[in-house]
Amino acid sequence: MYGESGEFGTHQFMPETWKIISKEIEGEVIPQTPVNEEYVATMKIQQLLDEGKSEREIALIWNGSLGGTENPLEKKGKNRRGVKYDTVAYSQKVLEVYNQ
């Protein structure tokens, strides 16, 4: 199921992000199935933990720039729906939900 912005699945990968991350993890772009998403997400999160990232940092990366080069703390402007980027606030909300 695709979201309004093109995100897909449980982990809400954008199509281009999926290509980048699945290739990074598997060496090739793999089909975006629920099982593959769970595997790729788990491996990517473990990679970030192994790099010493905190839960907060992972949430910021995941929700702001997982497949990109932008620092999510510096992301400026608005998305295509006219909503101002506020990655820090959004990621904090995500963490609060996960911590419940």
Side-chain angles (χ1 to χ4, degrees), residues 6-47:
E7 68 278 10
F8 179 81
T10 305
H11 299 284
Q12 298 294 283
F13 284 105
M14 294 296 286
E16 200 56 37
T17 301
W18 175 256
K19 291 175 189 174
I20 293 166
I21 301 303
S22 71
K23 186 172 184 177
E24 175 188 331
I25 298 299
E26 280 298 293
E28 64 182 329
V29 178
I30 59 176
Q32 192 173 357
T33 66
V35 170
N36 287 347
E37 276 200 358
E38 187 65 29
Y39 170 75
V40 168
T42 299
M43 297 302 292
K44 183 61 182 179
I45 290 168
Q46 187 60 57
Q47 180 186 63

Side-chain angles (χ1 to χ4, degrees), residues 33-96:
T33 66
V35 170
N36 287 347
E37 276 200 358
E38 187 65 29
Y39 170 75
V40 168
T42 299
M43 297 302 292
K44 183 61 182 179
I45 290 168
Q46 187 60 57
Q47 180 186 63
L48 294 169
L49 288 169
D50 290 346
E51 291 172 6
K53 303 283 193 273
S54 70
E55 287 182 3
R56 182 176 187 276
E57 289 170 317
I58 292 171
L60 289 170
I61 292 165
W62 199 272
N63 290 290
S65 67
L66 184 61
T69 58
E70 274 187 273
N71 179 339
L73 296 172
E74 297 173 358
K75 198 166 189 176
K76 304 285 186 224
K78 297 181 180 183
N79 69 15
R80 68 180 182 194
R81 301 185 77 129
V83 178
K84 184 179 176 189
Y85 288 116
D86 192 347
T87 306
V88 175
Y90 176 74
S91 296
Q92 187 61 43
K93 288 179 186 177
V94 171
L95 277 177
E96 288 169 8

